[in-house]
């Protein structure tokens, strides 16, 4: 392994899923020093305290090294090592990204969908890196700790690693503080032992101690958007009439660019919209350093007596809880309960009668809520579903969206629904006593109770109710997404027929197993799901507050600014999705791959708070689409209905959307007890 790879592994924090809290300029300088150390070990350069000299300009075959080597070879004058550290540090961001991607590809790191890095399971368990040539190499952190506390002569490569880590004061993160104080003198001794370590270490230290060189590029003026600017634009007005927030964000991008300040009446707080591929990329990769979620979620937390929740956490504690819950939200957790899913889906679908028209959004939300309540909470909330959904809907609108005044939560009807909600919470707790859960399949409540039992300070009992209700709130999103999928499926006959064929092949001979849901078996249904989420994203924007000043696309954004991250605005940009208003599931064929680039397709959000259960959702949505297609022939009612969106608190087909059952294609099997 390269020094440049191992230094990143050494600096990676398993507690936060990112690097230890090292100043970004120091990280850049250390990475640059590691690249130069690799070139020195490959006999391409020679360094001393005064200069860096080229020995051999032959490419190493490593892109991260060769770009620097080429630049050194093209320099006419002999420069100091410190000069080359500084020059290389300016492009360290792309180098770090390349190296991290390489480590993922080699099975050394895992990189989850929310942008967190961690040692792969095999490396974490064995403490050994995968071998390319049969040689075994111990994981860097364990090896460095052993080197520092042993009396053996250290490996020269480890000496370089220790020196580089020491220049940015990172060794203290690898051991308890008392152990670190014990080895300080030994660290200093090591860094004087090796000439490469000494010269590059001193060069890195000299640059780290200086502030990063000033960039004199002028920041851009941020366009200001007023309500009349939107109302004066024909396309924007149409988006408002349709309730299409994602498309409205795309229109704002076309009119004003990627960063726009919005004039909010009666508010002194600045609000800005970030939209477009490049701002999406910035948010996904850099947002963790500058933005927080707590400000917009605290009202909803407080309503249910919670103080620290997954959507309200950031940083290391958020990463810790995501890791602890990963199993409960995984696709595998749903695959484990497929028979239950089939049972509860059919139980709801039997209420869809031939010749009957009914509200499509409510029907799909009820369908998903019943499934979620059983699969995730192990209780039957069928009796309370509508009241629970109404209260959840109102709570989101008042406390998260701030679209209604607080009094709207305290009407007699809402007070009654709140009491019913408390009954549901009581039933969840009652259903999860140790005796009742014995020999039962683990659900998400069990996972939360396990984490609470292991560390009641990290996940206190006061926060549990919020987590249980969050699952039911998620059912609103799932139901809205399914309603959009059913609407688009029923209005595109050719696609509908292909999905029917897939459904009949899977369900025609009984209940399919998890291994039957191959990409080939559910190809059309899955691409319908993807395209529906492109055109009708259920959560079109994310809200954040700026906690550290930042520069986005050349625009300076101040602390305290409220941000609307319009991550789905890119779904309606021609440069990414040609003819974006056209429903076309073939966009997601492998040969087109219109969704593959980071920052372009983001219905599940971006950044560290990207939906933890997105792979669960993919499977549940596809199965529901297939089961509906297997049992029914449907049309929208009326057949001429032009789908419009109710945008608050989450996007959903408006109240005019109805489903009509024309035919029961296959009868329901007898439901299990």
């Amino acid at each position: 392994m390269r020094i440049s790879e191992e230094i990143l592994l050494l600096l990676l924090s398993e507690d936060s899923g990112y690097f230890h809290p090292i100043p970004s300029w120091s990280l850049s300088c250390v990475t640059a020093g590691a690249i130069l150390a690799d070139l020195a070990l490959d006999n391409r350069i020679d360094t001393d305290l005064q200069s860096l000299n080229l020995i051999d300009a032959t490419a190493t075959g490593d892109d991260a090294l060769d770009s620097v080597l080429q630049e050194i070879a093209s320099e006419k004058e002999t420069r100091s090592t410190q000069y080359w550290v500084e020059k290389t540090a300016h492009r360290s961001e792309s180098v770090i990204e390349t190296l991290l991607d390489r480590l993922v590809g080699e099975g050394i790191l895992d990189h989850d969908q929310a942008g967190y890095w961690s040692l792969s399971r095999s490396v974490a368990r064995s403490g050994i890196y995968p071998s390319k040539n049969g040689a075994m190499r111990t994981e860097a952190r364990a090896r460095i700790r052993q080197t520092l506390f042993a009396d053996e002569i250290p490996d020269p490569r480890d000496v370089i690693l220790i020196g580089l880590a020491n220049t940015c004061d990172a060794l203290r993160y690898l051991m308890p503080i008392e152990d670190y104080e014990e080895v300080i003198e030994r660290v200093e001794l090591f860094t004087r032992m090796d000439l490469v370590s000494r010269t590059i270490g001193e060069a890195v230290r000299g640059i780290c101690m200086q502030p990063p060189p000033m960039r004199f590029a002028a920041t851009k003026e941020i366009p200001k958007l007023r309500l009349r600017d939107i109302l004066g634009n024909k396309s924007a007005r149409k988006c408002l009439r349709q309730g299409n927030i994602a498309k409205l964000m795309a229109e704002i991008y076309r009119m004003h660019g990627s960063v726009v300040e919005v004039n909010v009446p009666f508010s002194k707080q600045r609000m800005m919209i970030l939209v477009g591929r490049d701002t999406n990329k910035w948010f996904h990769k850099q947002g963790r350093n500058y933005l927080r979620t707590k400000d917009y979620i605290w009202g909803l937390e407080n309503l249910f007596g919670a103080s620290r929740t997954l959507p309200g956490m950031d940083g290391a504690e958020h990463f810790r809880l995501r890791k602890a819950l990963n199993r409960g939200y995984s696709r595998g957790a749903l695959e484990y309960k497929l028979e239950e899913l089939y049972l509860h889906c059919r139980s709801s679908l039997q209420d869809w009668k031939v010749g009957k028209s009914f509200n499509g959004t409510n029907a799909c939300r009820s369908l998903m809520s019943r499934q979620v309540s059983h699969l995730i909470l192990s209780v039957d909330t069928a009796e309370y579903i509508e009241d629970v959904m109404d209260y959840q809907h109102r709570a989101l609108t008042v406390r998260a969206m701030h679209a209604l005044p607080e009094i709207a939560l305290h009407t007699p009807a809402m007070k009654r629904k709140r009491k019913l909600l408390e009954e549901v919470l009581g039933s969840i707790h009652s259903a999860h006593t140790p005796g009742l859960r014995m020999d039962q399949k683990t659900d998400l409540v069990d996972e939360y109770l396990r984490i609470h039992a292991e560390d009641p300070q990290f996940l206190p009992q006061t926060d549990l109710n919020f987590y249980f209700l969050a699952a039911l709130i998620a059912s609103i999103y799932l139901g809205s997404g399914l309603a959009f999928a059913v609407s688009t499926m029923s209005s595109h006959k050719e696609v509908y027929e292909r999905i029917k064929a897939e459904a009949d092949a899977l369900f025609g001979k009984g209940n399919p197993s998890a291994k039957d849901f191959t990409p080939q078996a559910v190809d059309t249904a899955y691409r319908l799901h993807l395209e529906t989420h492109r055109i009708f994203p259920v959560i079109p924007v994310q809200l954040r507050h700026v906690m550290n000043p930042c520069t986005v696309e050349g625009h300076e954004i101040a602390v305290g600014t409220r941000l609307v991250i319009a991550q789905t605005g890119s779904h309606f940009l021609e440069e990414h999705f040609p003819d974006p208003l056209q429903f076309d599931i073939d966009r997601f064929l492998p040969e087109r791959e219109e969704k593959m680039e980071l920052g372009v397709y983001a219905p599940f959000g971006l950044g560290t708070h990207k939906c933890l259960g997105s792979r669960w959702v993919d499977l549940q949505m596809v199965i529901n689409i297939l089961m509906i297609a297997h049992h029914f022939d449907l049309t929208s009612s009326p057949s001429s209905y032009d789908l419009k969106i109710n945008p608050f608190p989450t996007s959903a087909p408006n109240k005019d959307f109805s489903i009509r059952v024309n035919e029961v294609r296959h009868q329901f099997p007898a439901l299990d007890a």
Side-chain angles (χ1 to χ4, degrees):
M1 290 183 67
R2 296 286 189 188
I3 294 289
S4 49
E5 293 172 327
E6 288 216 273
I7 191 65
L8 296 184
L9 293 170
L10 202 63
L11 301 182
L12 196 66
S13 168
E14 284 291 297
D15 293 328
S16 69
Y18 197 57
F19 296 112
H20 288 294
I22 300 164
S24 58
W25 180 240
S26 295
L27 177 62
S28 296
C29 293
V30 167
T31 304
I35 292 291
L36 296 179
D38 280 327
L39 289 172
L41 292 177
D42 276 13
N43 295 314
R44 297 306 195 272
I45 61 172
D46 183 35
T47 62
D48 57 36
L49 297 179
Q50 285 77 40
S51 61
L52 183 149
N53 299 292
L54 179 69
I55 299 174
D56 183 357
T58 305
T60 65
D62 185 324
D63 292 342
L65 271 60
D66 287 340
S67 58
V68 177
L69 179 61
Q70 185 177 10
E71 195 167 5
I72 292 172
S74 65
E75 179 67 49
K76 295 180 180 179
E77 298 181 35
T78 299
R79 302 285 190 174
S80 68
T81 303
Q82 192 166 347
Y83 169 89
W84 285 111
V85 168
E86 180 179 321
K87 190 158 188 178
T88 305
H90 281 303
R91 61 181 184 198
S92 64
E93 184 177 329
S94 63
V95 171
I96 290 172
E97 189 173 326
T98 297
L99 294 173
L100 290 173
D101 287 344
R102 182 190 300 169
L103 291 166
V104 171
E106 292 173 350
I108 296 170
L109 284 182
D110 285 336
H111 186 211
D112 75 8
Q113 58 185 354
Y116 289 109
W117 282 274
S118 59
L119 285 177
S120 66
R121 188 173 300 180
S122 62
V123 174
R125 286 177 176 174
S126 67
I128 303 294
Y129 294 134
S131 173
K132 294 180 181 178
N133 55 11
M136 306 295 285
R137 190 162 186 81
T138 305
E139 184 265 329
R141 283 170 287 191
R143 203 174 67 244
I144 295 306
R145 284 193 292 264
Q146 182 179 352
T147 297
L148 289 174
F149 288 98
D151 292 329
E152 301 172 359
I153 298 174
D155 185 316
R157 287 170 51 89
D158 290 345
V159 170
I160 296 174
L161 278 174
I162 291 169
L164 287 170
N166 189 47
T167 61
C168 60
D169 197 24
L171 289 175
R172 60 193 175 95
Y173 295 115
L174 305 183
M175 62 195 76
I177 186 64
E178 58 271 18
D179 291 347
Y180 172 67
E181 291 174 349
E182 183 181 330
V183 298
I184 289 177
E185 291 185 6
R186 190 168 173 81
V187 169
E188 295 300 327
L189 173 64
F190 283 170
T191 56
R192 293 194 296 269
M193 287 175 55
D194 180 83
L195 183 59
V196 173
S197 175
R198 183 181 173 191
T199 55
I200 292 179
E202 290 189 8
V204 170
R205 188 178 296 107
I207 299 298
C208 282
M209 294 174 64
Q210 303 174 18
M214 294 294 294
R215 305 286 182 89
F216 292 103
T219 56
K220 303 175 186 176
E221 183 178 355
I222 299 176
K224 290 182 170 57
L225 181 65
R226 297 164 295 181
L227 179 60
R228 68 184 185 189
D229 296 323
I230 296 176
L231 297 178
N233 181 276
K234 184 177 178 180
S235 296
R237 287 200 310 272
K238 185 177 180 181
C239 294
L240 286 173
R241 289 196 302 270
Q242 294 174 335
N244 195 331
I245 301 300
K247 188 171 184 299
L248 175 62
M249 295 297 111
E251 293 297 330
I252 289 173
Y253 174 84
R254 292 189 186 97
M255 289 188 290
H256 300 283
S258 57
V259 181
V260 181
E261 183 171 352
V262 180
N263 180 23
V264 182
F266 312 111
S267 175
K268 295 181 180 179
Q269 187 178 36
R270 298 182 74 187
M271 186 173 85
M272 294 185 187
I273 296 173
L274 270 58
V275 58
R277 179 195 60 188
D278 293 336
T279 56
N280 280 352
K281 286 183 176 180
W282 176 88
F283 172 61
H284 184 73
K285 294 180 179 181
Q286 302 295 328
R288 74 180 80 211
N289 299 318
Y290 304 100
L291 312 178
R292 67 174 177 234
T293 63
K294 186 74 175 178
D295 303 71
Y296 88 91
I297 202 70
W298 73 268
L300 198 60
E301 292 175 338
N302 181 260
L303 180 64
F304 298 110
S307 59
R308 295 167 64 253
T309 67
L310 186 65
M313 291 177 175
D314 289 296
E317 65 175 4
H318 177 77
F319 177 60
R320 176 184 172 187
L321 189 54
R322 282 183 72 99
K323 285 179 66 176
L325 292 172
N326 188 59
R327 179 178 62 184
Y329 280 100
S330 68
R331 177 185 172 111
L334 182 58
E335 290 177 341
Y336 184 57
K337 295 189 171 188
L338 282 186
E339 291 298 326
E340 292 180 60
L341 172 58
Y342 300 149
L343 172 66
H344 298 303
C345 183
R346 289 181 178 127
S347 179
S348 294
L349 289 178
Q350 287 192 110
D351 295 333
W352 295 18
K353 304 300 183 182
V354 175
K356 180 182 177 182
S357 294
F358 46 89
N359 184 286
T361 301
N362 289 345
C364 289
R365 283 178 171 173
S366 295
L367 175 64
M368 284 297 191
S369 292
R370 176 173 292 189
Q371 292 171 33
V372 166
S373 64
H374 282 280
L375 296 171
I376 292 181
L377 307 174
S378 297
V379 296
D380 186 355
T381 62
E383 181 182 351
Y384 305 103
I385 279 177
E386 289 190 12
D387 289 315
V388 168
M389 286 171 57
D390 285 347
Y391 190 82
Q392 293 168 342
H393 199 135
R394 183 66 60 87
L396 285 169
T397 306
V398 172
R399 289 294 184 96
M401 305 298 297
H402 305 291
L404 288 175
E406 181 68 21
I407 191 64
L409 266 174
H410 302 285
T411 64
M414 286 298 117
K415 289 180 180 179
R416 180 181 64 83
K417 295 175 193 295
R418 175 62 187 249
K419 288 183 179 179
L420 293 175
L421 194 59
E422 291 170 356
E423 289 183 27
V424 172
L425 288 170
S427 68
I428 293 171
H429 285 282
S430 299
H432 286 82
T433 62
L436 291 177
R437 296 306 295 165
M438 188 177 297
D439 300 324
Q440 298 295 312
K441 291 183 177 181
T442 302
D443 64 17
L444 196 58
V445 174
D446 293 323
E447 295 288 349
Y448 280 114
L449 291 174
R450 173 184 59 80
I451 298 167
H452 166 65
E454 291 174 354
D455 191 344
Q457 186 176 36
F458 175 64
L459 185 58
Q461 188 169 346
T462 53
D463 292 348
L464 289 176
N465 281 348
F466 180 92
Y467 288 109
F468 301 161
L469 292 171
L472 289 173
I473 291 174
S475 70
I476 296 178
Y477 305 152
L478 287 168
S480 300
L482 182 62
F484 282 127
V486 169
S487 174
T488 52
M489 178 175 69
S490 61
S491 59
H492 292 81
K493 292 186 178 180
E494 190 269 337
V495 171
Y496 197 179
E497 292 303 316
R498 287 159 57 189
I499 293 175
K500 287 177 182 177
E502 290 179 351
D504 294 349
L506 283 165
F507 288 93
K509 297 181 181 179
N511 291 341
S513 65
K515 65 179 176 24
D516 294 320
F517 291 100
T518 63
Q520 295 77 20
V522 300
D523 175 63
T524 307
Y526 181 57
R527 287 190 283 121
L528 170 84
H529 162 64
L530 295 176
E531 177 68 346
T532 300
H533 272 70
R534 183 190 69 81
I535 298 181
F536 303 110
V538 175
I539 305 177
V541 302
Q542 298 173 265
L543 304 179
R544 296 289 186 272
H545 276 68
V546 178
M547 62 181 181
N548 292 311
C550 52
T551 302
V552 183
E553 294 295 293
H555 302 86
E556 288 187 358
I557 303 179
V559 167
T561 303
R562 185 165 39 144
L563 294 184
V564 176
I565 311 294
Q567 82 278 357
T568 62
S570 55
H571 293 190
F572 290 90
L573 296 178
E574 287 272 359
E575 55 265 39
H576 308 309
F577 297 100
D579 197 5
L581 298 180
Q582 180 68 33
F583 178 83
D584 179 10
I585 68 170
D586 290 347
R587 297 179 192 278
F588 299 96
L589 288 171
E591 57 266 28
R592 288 177 62 174
E593 294 185 340
E594 292 179 15
K595 75 178 182 75
M596 299 307 292
E597 184 182 356
L598 176 65
V600 169
Y601 181 77
F604 291 109
L606 289 167
T608 54
H609 284 266
K610 184 177 179 181
C611 177
L612 181 58
S614 60
R615 297 196 70 238
W616 169 304
V617 171
D618 283 343
L619 181 58
Q620 188 176 6
M621 289 289 290
V622 166
I623 289 176
N624 275 268
I625 290 167
L626 289 165
M627 293 187 73
I628 290 170
H630 180 64
H631 288 292
F632 299 121
D633 181 76
L634 306 173
T635 54
S636 297
S637 179
S639 57
S640 60
Y641 173 69
D642 182 20
L643 185 61
K644 293 183 175 61
I645 302 170
N646 178 9
F648 296 110
T650 61
S651 293
N654 72 359
K655 62 182 180 180
D656 295 330
F657 168 56
S658 294
I659 296 171
R660 178 181 175 83
V661 178
N662 299 320
E663 175 192 359
V664 175
R665 299 183 61 247
H666 296 93
Q667 294 296 325
F668 293 94
L671 297 179
D672 298 332

